[in-house]
Amino acid sequence: MRSGKGFQNGAATTIVVVNNPKNWPIELPGVEIVAAKRYLTEPEFGAVRRTKVYNLCRSYSYQSLGYYVSLLAEARGHRPLPSIQTVQEIRNPAVLRLRSQEFDKLIQSSLRPIQGDEFILSIYFGRNMAAKYDRLALALYNSHPAPLLRARFERLEGHWRMDWLRPVPASEIPDHHRPFVVQAAQEHLGRRSHGGRRKRQIDRYDLAILVDPRNANPPSDERALAKFEKAAERARVRVEQIQPNDAGRLLEFDALFIRETTAVDHYTYRFAVRAEAAGLVVIDDPESIVRCTNKVYLAEALEKHRIPAPRSVIVHDGNVGEIAERLGFPVIIKQPDSSFSQGVFKVNSQDELGEVVEKLLEDSDLLIAQEFLPSEFDWRVGVLEGKPLYACRYYMAHKHWQIIQWKGEDHSYGKVKAIPIDEVPRSVLRNAIRASRLMGNGLYGVDLKQRGERSYVIEVNDNPSLEAGYEDQVAGMELYERIVDFFVRRIEASRATGSAVGQASLSRRAVPESAQRTGRSVRKKDASDRRTAKR
């Protein structure tokens, strides 16, 4: 076992907590192998900040050493893997079955070739020794992030289902698996130890940026992401891009920035929910995603708070005949969760209206009909924490009524012109800020139409475009620095709260009595063993 020098001065570090350190021959810079009883009972561990705790104890059962390692890690403001929430889920068969339904197709396809009716899968830091089961192992790890797991599957009437999921004690790892376990641990832990760049100074925080390389139209291009990283580096924040299959890694970070088009029935929302539950600072937070991605909510909220918007009708199968009378033609029909100008239709006649509405009502019981307000451009005001971040004019695509014109999979944009904030009409700024505050206190892109001195809110986006050479034309690096500063301030506020809890946990009274008894009994047994050895 290492000496523990990495804990001096409360420096950030990674701790691997095990029942017996002799069973874990893992040596990595910045990684400490610690006995569970030491982590639970010695005050020095409570003083460490920004610590990632990998809980490899043999059991997570209620009030076991493994249970208390994750529980006290959270009390100290550390980041345990598994979290206490995951510990509880692993112990609940109903939750396991419900979660496994999310990737049932993967379970069936992965296990289809197996001849028997039972299968045991070992998951070591999200991997399996057999490459053909790697996708299933990663899916289970992402759903229930814990370092070492074992799952049992059974086939009933031709259909595979997961029977149980448990931690793997060191004593139960087969000898021929051990080299693979050590390699998987070294690769997983080494990502943070070695990083991708040479550090000139110790990073204060870790920021994950969620991207999907398969998305042809991401909200931030590579140049913009590089500028985020540069701004973060100046603030001593380490940035790492993560992808859709990295949900199990969220606890390695202090904050999550989603740079992928969001939706509620989508992995981006699940990332946001899990990150927020784990105490990370998140843009976009789950509440903002739910609110901004549904135009029915927006229409109701704008009307209630008397924020100017185009005249709108919430459409259902019983009021289609009222639309033309109330809004006239042409009229805009929108899917509630439309984005990037898709799912938005300009309708010019009653016959066309009936066809479009009938088709869209197949997927949603409610739609939005909105009066058509023609304009040369739309305003887009970026708002961060209720304050303007940037402003742009998004001009209509050539000979089209929207800023994006879709032709099958192809599309074309109108030009974008950034405008200094002090040159934006007062009504545009005022209404943009008011509308953003209905959604939350994060980052939003508010779209508005201007008619004379008045402006009208069209929609509020929780995941606005931030691309180099467009939204940053006026603000430059300041745009990226303000967003990084947002994350830093929110993280520090969260840490300040967590630090107070952590200091309290250093008190003997703050450690659960059953954990104290566990620690005392272990120490007594060690002392008894030493006396026996001397005799």
Side-chain angles (χ1 to χ4, degrees):
M1 192 177 84
R2 295 181 61 183
S3 64
K5 291 180 181 179
F7 298 111
Q8 294 179 354
N9 302 321
T13 188
T14 298
I15 302 174
V16 174
V17 180
V18 297
N19 289 83
N20 184 356
K22 293 180 181 178
N23 292 332
W24 298 98
I26 302 171
E27 289 287 339
L28 283 173
V31 176
E32 302 286 340
I33 311 298
V34 177
K37 63 179 182 180
R38 280 194 62 214
Y39 179 76
L40 291 173
T41 60
E42 296 186 8
E44 63 179 296
F45 297 102
V48 191
R49 297 174 287 104
R50 296 187 54 240
T51 302
K52 307 299 187 292
V53 177
Y54 289 82
N55 181 0
L56 272 59
C57 290
R58 67 172 61 98
S59 172
Y60 302 141
S61 61
Y62 184 58
Q63 293 194 336
S64 66
L65 282 175
Y67 177 88
Y68 279 119
V69 166
S70 288
L71 185 67
L72 265 65
E74 291 190 3
R76 291 166 173 169
H78 297 172
R79 298 241 181 248
L81 188 74
S83 66
I84 200 66
Q85 179 183 355
T86 299
V87 168
Q88 300 284 33
E89 290 175 353
I90 289 174
R91 297 172 55 244
N92 190 325
V95 172
L96 292 178
R97 282 194 290 272
L98 183 64
R99 283 285 186 87
S100 65
Q101 291 175 7
E102 297 177 2
F103 44 91
D104 183 71
K105 289 183 180 179
L106 179 59
I107 292 175
Q108 306 312 315
S109 62
S110 299
L111 305 187
R112 186 175 295 115
I114 295 174
Q115 297 300 315
D117 293 327
E118 178 187 5
F119 180 70
I120 303 295
L121 180 71
S122 297
I123 304 144
Y124 304 131
F125 291 89
R127 298 182 57 196
N128 181 262
M129 289 185 64
K132 60 184 176 181
Y133 300 125
D134 250 353
R135 288 183 61 212
L136 180 57
L138 182 59
L140 280 167
Y141 175 79
N142 284 336
S143 182
H144 309 281
L148 305 176
L149 292 169
R150 183 166 291 149
R152 179 184 181 273
F153 297 86
E154 61 179 357
R155 179 156 46 192
L156 299 174
E157 299 179 351
H159 190 87
W160 287 98
R161 74 177 186 92
M162 188 166 66
D163 185 31
W164 50 253
L165 183 68
R166 300 170 184 168
V168 182
S171 59
E172 293 184 14
I173 296 177
D175 289 340
H176 66 285
H177 283 202
R178 284 181 174 270
F180 181 83
V181 173
V182 172
Q183 178 187 354
Q186 288 174 332
E187 291 176 358
H188 186 94
L189 300 174
R191 276 199 298 255
R192 297 200 73 258
S193 300
H194 301 292
R197 60 180 170 84
R198 183 177 179 179
K199 298 181 182 179
R200 290 173 292 180
Q201 53 188 344
I202 298 175
D203 293 321
R204 294 186 294 170
Y205 305 114
D206 298 311
L207 170 64
I209 298 183
L210 177 60
V211 298
D212 186 352
R214 299 168 299 179
N215 187 351
N217 298 287
S220 288
D221 58 6
E222 287 297 329
R223 288 173 57 209
L225 294 176
K227 290 186 176 183
F228 274 119
E229 185 167 356
K230 184 176 181 180
E233 185 174 0
R234 291 175 181 174
R236 292 169 49 206
V237 174
R238 186 184 76 92
V239 170
E240 182 176 350
Q241 292 184 26
I242 62 173
Q243 297 184 14
N245 61 356
D246 287 327
R249 296 189 55 207
L250 283 174
L251 287 177
E252 299 177 23
F253 302 94
D254 301 293
L256 172 66
F257 190 20
I258 299 177
R259 288 285 80 198
E260 165 64 348
T261 305
T262 55
V264 173
D265 188 18
H266 195 240
Y267 79 89
T268 50
Y269 180 71
R270 294 191 288 272
F271 264 73
V273 169
R274 177 166 293 179
E276 186 174 75
L280 278 68
V281 177
V282 187
I283 295 179
D284 313 316
D285 62 273
E287 187 174 71
S288 293
I289 294 175
V290 170
R291 292 177 173 179
C292 290
T293 56
N294 194 291
K295 291 173 174 56
V296 173
Y297 177 92
L298 176 64
E300 191 74 10
L302 292 175
E303 181 177 358
K304 178 180 178 180
H305 292 85
R306 299 182 179 180
I307 297 175
R311 289 181 298 128
S312 301
V313 174
I314 295 178
V315 180
H316 51 82
D317 58 6
N319 70 344
V320 179
E322 302 173 14
I323 296 174
E325 181 180 346
R326 295 174 61 178
L327 303 179
F329 288 110
V331 66
I332 305 300
I333 304 296
K334 297 182 177 181
Q335 293 177 185
D337 58 352
S338 57
S339 62
F340 278 97
S341 296
Q342 294 180 304
V344 180
F345 302 87
K346 181 183 175 185
V347 175
N348 295 294
S349 68
Q350 188 66 45
D351 289 342
E352 187 181 358
L353 175 66
E355 293 176 6
V356 170
V357 169
E358 182 181 4
K359 178 64 175 177
L360 296 181
L361 284 176
E362 293 177 1
D363 297 320
S364 175
D365 288 340
L366 298 178
L367 308 171
I368 289 293
Q370 213 168 57
E371 69 172 316
F372 177 56
L373 298 180
S375 62
E376 183 184 1
F377 60 84
D378 286 352
W379 281 104
R380 164 66 64 84
V381 179
V383 181
L384 180 65
E385 293 184 287
K387 299 177 182 178
L389 178 68
Y390 65 87
C392 291
R393 289 174 179 165
Y394 287 179
Y395 288 83
M396 301 301 137
H398 183 61
K399 294 184 178 180
H400 190 60
W401 59 277
Q402 292 172 293
I403 62 175
I404 305 175
Q405 182 175 18
W406 289 91
K407 296 179 180 178
E409 294 297 319
D410 296 328
H411 60 278
S412 59
Y413 289 89
K415 67 178 182 179
V416 178
K417 182 178 181 181
I419 305 295
I421 295 296
D422 58 7
E423 295 180 15
V424 179
R426 290 180 61 184
S427 71
V428 171
L429 282 181
R430 181 177 63 252
N431 290 334
I433 291 170
R434 290 180 65 200
S436 74
R437 287 174 176 167
L438 299 179
M439 304 297 142
N441 197 33
L443 172 65
Y444 308 97
V446 185
D447 293 341
L448 308 96
K449 296 277 190 182
Q450 184 182 2
R451 305 293 294 273
E453 297 296 319
R454 302 197 66 186
S455 64
Y456 304 84
V457 174
I458 304 299
E459 62 185 43
V460 182
N461 303 277
D462 65 292
N463 195 254
S465 296
L466 296 170
E467 296 192 90
Y470 293 94
E471 286 77 16
D472 66 358
Q473 289 175 18
V474 171
M477 281 300 296
E478 182 183 352
L479 183 150
Y480 306 97
E481 290 166 354
R482 282 184 58 185
I483 295 175
V484 170
D485 179 66
F486 168 91
F487 279 111
V488 170
R489 287 186 288 105
R490 291 291 180 92
I491 293 170
E492 288 176 345
S494 174
R495 292 293 173 272
T497 302
S499 177
V501 175
Q503 289 299 317
S505 74
L506 295 180
S507 162
R508 294 291 292 176
R509 290 189 298 273
V511 179
E513 178 60 28
S514 50
Q516 296 181 33
R517 289 196 299 269
T518 301
R520 287 197 293 269
S521 64
V522 171
R523 290 193 294 273
K524 287 178 180 178
K525 184 180 185 303
D526 288 348
S528 174
D529 290 345
R530 286 194 296 270
R531 287 195 296 272
T532 301
K534 288 181 180 179
R535 287 197 296 269

